Amino acid sequence: METFVAAKEFVTNPVYQKKRAQYSEGLNIQTIDRPIVDIVLGFAEIPYCYTLQSCFGHFLCKNQNDENNITPLPASGSITSVLYRIAYIALCIEQSDSGRMLFDRLAEIPKLDSQYIQFGSAGWFWKDNVNTYALQVEPDRYKTRDWATVGYQEALHIEEIRNQFFIRLRAIVNQLIATESS
């Protein structure tokens, strides 16, 4: 998210429905990290948003160099540094009362740990999809980067926060789907 900035204000988006349909048709489950497929599919059921991109967040370290690794960090005293590839979800949200409600709920998620979770906009998404917002799990000092090299203990903390982040996001999606169904 090298162009991550504070959340921008909603603007009129006359092509929202057209863009949502395009992204929905192009949604390829095979490209989504397995642990968050249900979240992305859940957002696809909500008519006032759509997912642009997502990543579960990956930890690369000694003896673990798979860029798509989704296994927990190993318990090891010999690991001193970890390359962390950012966990995030980028959504385009409709300018509507329901969209504003979703925006407000997402904006609350950083309260889990504001030093490691940010809510804002990503400029390169906004150019093609106004009203685009991103939630990311990244040390605040690296919030404009897609990756960071951190110490092992901090990586363990990031992993815990990332897991809580997706639990909270999953709960929000499930509540919104239930509301839409009733």
Side-chain angles (χ1 to χ4, degrees), residues 127-165:
K127 284 180 9 184
D128 293 325
N129 296 278
V130 297
N131 303 331
T132 297
Y133 302 94
L135 268 162
Q136 63 182 31
V137 178
E138 181 81 310
D140 191 63
R141 66 190 183 279
Y142 299 122
K143 69 182 172 191
T144 61
R145 294 175 36 189
D146 292 341
W147 58 272
T149 300
V150 298
Y152 178 72
Q153 291 303 316
E154 185 175 21
L156 288 173
H157 179 71
I158 293 168
E159 181 178 53
E160 175 61 28
I161 295 303
R162 179 206 58 194
N163 294 343
Q164 290 177 27
F165 166 81

Side-chain angles (χ1 to χ4, degrees), residues 26 30 50 86 88 99:
Q30 304 305 318
Y50 58 90
I86 189 172
Y88 71 95

Side-chain angles (χ1 to χ4, degrees), residues 22-154:
Q22 288 173 342
Y23 275 87
S24 295
E25 288 173 18
L27 185 60
N28 180 353
I29 300 304
Q30 304 305 318
T31 63
I32 301 168
D33 292 328
R34 281 190 319 262
I36 59 173
V37 166
D38 64 317
I39 294 170
V40 174
L41 289 176
F43 276 122
E45 292 183 43
I46 300 166
Y48 43 90
C49 71
Y50 58 90
T51 305
L52 295 165
Q53 268 185 4
S54 63
C55 184
F56 180 62
H58 308 283
F59 295 94
L60 287 75
C61 57
K62 183 179 178 181
N63 300 325
Q64 178 44 268
N65 296 313
D66 178 4
E67 290 187 3
N68 297 308
N69 171 44
I70 58 172
T71 60
L73 282 164
S76 172
S78 67
I79 298 172
T80 56
S81 67
V82 176
L83 176 66
Y84 168 64
R85 293 181 58 225
I86 189 172
Y88 71 95
I89 190 157
L91 302 166
C92 184
I93 302 175
E94 181 181 48
Q95 182 189 21
S96 65
D97 291 342
S98 295
R100 173 53 72 180
M101 180 268 312
L102 173 59
F103 175 97
D104 291 342
R105 295 207 46 204
L106 297 176
E108 293 289 315
I109 292 177
K111 289 181 180 177
L112 288 169
D113 188 331
S114 62
Q115 292 303 304
Y116 288 89
I117 302 174
Q118 300 86 35
F119 176 71
S121 295
W124 69 286
F125 284 128
W126 195 279
K127 284 180 9 184
D128 293 325
N129 296 278
V130 297
N131 303 331
T132 297
Y133 302 94
L135 268 162
Q136 63 182 31
V137 178
E138 181 81 310
D140 191 63
R141 66 190 183 279
Y142 299 122
K143 69 182 172 191
T144 61
R145 294 175 36 189
D146 292 341
W147 58 272
T149 300
V150 298
Y152 178 72
Q153 291 303 316
E154 185 175 21

